[in-house]
Amino acid sequence: VIPGITVSPHVKIGSVLSYLDKNRDALGVCVVEKEKVTGVLTREKLLKKLGALSGYSMYYNKEIGELADKDFLQVEGESSICNVADIAMEREIDSLYDFIVVKENEKYLGIVTVRDLLQNAVKVINLPGSTPISATLQIEDSPSTWELSFFFT
């Protein structure tokens, strides 16, 4: 669990954008009010919204609380790594790799990236005597064929 970046719901989008631009390692922000996370906004989703037609002028001066995702994954700090990994991989494709909020007694504790989560899950899975991955995967005998066509004009 890493600390993550927290902001008040009243911080302007422009301020968050400026912070993320100066701090390239920041994945996004957690909107926190009274020690509870009320939303999250990843760098990718913010840039996507601002990059849309009229997005910059429409959102730049808005408060982050208006734009932040309210539907995000948050788990208790005592949760099992493997259980959290299972839950994280069940998310919709557009939020599959978003960071995960970690809380303790409903209070914000920090975040964990999917990368860190999976690296730690691998350590747990690779304990002596664990099942090899080839035994856990079902591989179909029938090959799938994918065809890509490129057209140049």
Side-chain angles (χ1 to χ4, degrees), residues 11-77:
V11 170
K12 301 288 186 196
I13 294 292
S15 297
V16 172
L17 180 62
S18 178
Y19 178 84
L20 293 175
D21 189 44
K22 292 175 187 164
N23 298 278
R24 293 288 186 183
D25 291 339
L27 302 171
V29 297
C30 293
V31 180
V32 176
E33 192 167 34
K34 298 179 184 172
E35 299 185 50
K36 286 185 79 172
V37 180
T38 59
V40 299
L41 190 56
T42 65
R43 172 191 298 275
E44 178 185 0
K45 288 179 182 172
L46 175 59
L47 294 177
K48 187 176 180 181
K49 288 182 188 222
L50 291 175
L53 187 62
S54 304
Y56 189 85
S57 59
M58 188 167 29
Y59 296 120
Y60 190 81
N61 289 314
K62 297 238 183 218
E63 293 181 348
I64 191 147
E66 297 176 46
L67 198 58
D69 290 330
K70 308 291 189 249
D71 184 25
F72 56 94
L73 179 55
Q74 56 182 327
V75 298
E76 285 292 328

Side-chain angles (χ1 to χ4, degrees), residues 20-146:
L20 293 175
D21 189 44
K22 292 175 187 164
N23 298 278
R24 293 288 186 183
D25 291 339
L27 302 171
V29 297
C30 293
V31 180
V32 176
E33 192 167 34
K34 298 179 184 172
E35 299 185 50
K36 286 185 79 172
V37 180
T38 59
V40 299
L41 190 56
T42 65
R43 172 191 298 275
E44 178 185 0
K45 288 179 182 172
L46 175 59
L47 294 177
K48 187 176 180 181
K49 288 182 188 222
L50 291 175
L53 187 62
S54 304
Y56 189 85
S57 59
M58 188 167 29
Y59 296 120
Y60 190 81
N61 289 314
K62 297 238 183 218
E63 293 181 348
I64 191 147
E66 297 176 46
L67 198 58
D69 290 330
K70 308 291 189 249
D71 184 25
F72 56 94
L73 179 55
Q74 56 182 327
V75 298
E76 285 292 328
E78 295 300 315
S79 300
S80 152
I81 290 172
C82 291
N83 286 345
V84 174
D86 283 342
I87 295 167
M89 293 299 101
E90 293 296 321
R91 295 187 286 184
E92 296 293 324
I93 193 72
D94 65 333
S95 57
L96 187 62
Y97 295 103
D98 290 0
F99 56 83
I100 300 158
V101 173
V102 181
K103 60 185 181 173
E104 189 173 287
N105 299 322
E106 296 302 316
K107 292 182 180 179
Y108 175 77
L109 188 61
I111 63 170
V112 65
T113 64
V114 171
R115 177 184 178 188
D116 290 342
L117 177 70
L118 293 179
Q119 284 177 334
N120 283 293
V122 165
K123 290 176 187 173
V124 171
I125 292 168
N126 284 333
L127 292 173
S130 61
T131 308
I133 194 163
S134 59
T136 61
L137 296 177
Q138 289 183 328
I139 301 171
E140 294 183 18
D141 290 334
S142 59
S144 297
T145 304
W146 293 73

